[in-house]
Structure formats: structure tokens, C-alpha cells
Amino acid sequence: MTTEEYVASTARGEYIEGGSEKHLFMHAASQEAIKITSKINSGYHTPEELRALMSQLVGYEVDKTFGLFPPIYSDFGKNIKIGKNVFINSGCCFQDQGGIVLGDGCLIGHQTVIATLNHDMCPEKRAGMTPAAVVLGKNVWVGAHATILPGVHIGDNAVIAAGAVVTKDVPANAVAAGVPAKIIKMIEE
């Protein structure tokens, strides 16, 4: 299995059976992400060095406007799409096997968790997983310690409050807060 085949399979939401070729590929690929994030997270790096390391992690050159305060954690890396003027604050955990899209202008707060895999509910198949991409539109601001669960889409200009657990889609220009997150107001421009 190649990275391209794996990413295409997860984009289709295809089930990952525990112990299957796809599952074994996923675990082997995570080792490269661990190596790269270990480099990012060890010692001081200039912004240019961080962009170069992130480019290695995601598999393409990130825009010169990208910013990162380490540490960052990723279990795959090759399924993260980063727009322009994106900033990721320290301590974020990206489970990107199922795909993460960060639109232009996104601000990701400290220790945000973005998850894109759900394990099988059946105990006998618990090692199996279903991928579902998380997509953040343009200018989304995610507050510190927020968690965004698999399959969630967040519209342009939305704000996710600190500590929120986002289980459902959030429309554009909405502010979502709480556990589980609910729309608490709309942003008036």
C-alpha cells in the first residue's frame, strides 16, 4: 500500500480492519511522523526551520506564512492540509489519519486535539477504525484545550471556545462553546 492509496481510502471513509494491511501500513507510517515531530519538539528551531520540518511532516511545502509554537504531535502527518496564514500554538495533537484541513487564516489554540478516527463499537472488532475528516474553513479560531471529533466541519470565521468538545458541524460565523459544544451566538460583521 502506498501513502496515496491510503489517503484516498481514508478520504472515502473506508473501514480500517484491525490487523489488516491498511492497519499495519497506518502503524508503520506513524513511525515517520513520530521521528519528524520528535525533531520539531526537541530544542529550539527558527521559524524557517519549523516550516521546513512541518513540510517534511505533511509531505509538501507549507506556505511561508505558516507559524508554529512546538510541541506538536501527529500520528501520520501526510493527511494534513494547511492553508496560508495558519498558526498552530503549542501542545496540539493531530490524529490526522482520516484527514485534517486547516483553511487560510486558522488559529489553533494551545493543546487542541483534532481526532479523525473512531474505533469500532463492537468489542470483538475494537481494533478496527472508521476515518472521517475534520475540515476547518477560513479564519476559524479554535480556543485552547478544545477537542474536535471525527467528521466535524467548521464554517468560515467560526470560533470554538476554549475547552469545547465539538461533536457536530459548526456553521460559518458561529461561536460554539461547552461540552458538547453548542452554538452560543453568531458573529455579526
Side-chain angles (χ1 to χ4, degrees):
M1 173 164 278
T2 67
T3 298
E4 293 76 20
E5 290 169 332
Y6 178 80
V7 169
S9 171
T10 60
R12 292 188 296 270
E14 293 177 1
Y15 184 74
I16 302 167
E17 183 178 345
S20 67
E21 176 190 4
K22 194 183 309 183
H23 191 242
L24 296 174
F25 175 86
M26 178 180 85
H27 280 279
S30 69
Q31 296 306 302
E32 180 181 357
I34 291 168
K35 285 179 193 175
I36 296 168
T37 56
S38 292
K39 288 179 189 175
I40 291 171
N41 299 338
S42 64
Y44 172 77
H45 300 286
T46 67
E48 296 77 21
E49 291 169 335
L50 287 172
R51 280 193 295 277
L53 287 164
M54 271 307 279
S55 295
Q56 276 186 302
L57 179 66
V58 299
Y60 61 89
E61 188 172 340
V62 296
D63 192 77
K64 64 182 180 181
T65 59
F66 171 77
L68 169 68
F69 285 175
I72 187 170
Y73 304 94
S74 166
D75 66 352
F76 186 57
K78 302 299 187 263
N79 213 356
I80 302 172
K81 305 294 180 249
I82 301 170
K84 295 179 180 179
N85 295 304
V86 169
F87 177 73
I88 300 171
N89 221 321
S90 62
C92 291
C93 297
F94 292 170
Q95 181 198 49
D96 65 292
Q97 300 282 351
I100 295 173
V101 176
L102 304 176
D104 293 346
C106 281
L107 302 174
I108 311 300
H110 293 86
Q111 298 182 340
T112 292
V113 173
I114 300 178
T116 66
L117 294 173
N118 274 319
H119 283 277
D120 200 304
M121 293 300 287
C122 177
E124 293 79 27
K125 297 180 181 179
R126 191 64 43 87
M129 292 164 273
T130 303
V134 169
V135 178
L136 278 61
K138 293 179 181 178
N139 302 311
V140 171
W141 173 23
V142 179
H145 295 272
T147 299
I148 303 171
L149 296 182
V152 168
H153 289 214
I154 299 174
D156 293 349
N157 308 312
V159 176
I160 306 303
V165 177
V166 186
T167 61
K168 296 180 181 175
D169 291 354
V170 175
N173 301 305
V175 177
V179 179
K182 296 185 179 359
I183 307 306
I184 59 169
K185 70 178 187 175
M186 298 302 290
I187 299 169
E188 303 295 328
E189 292 189 39

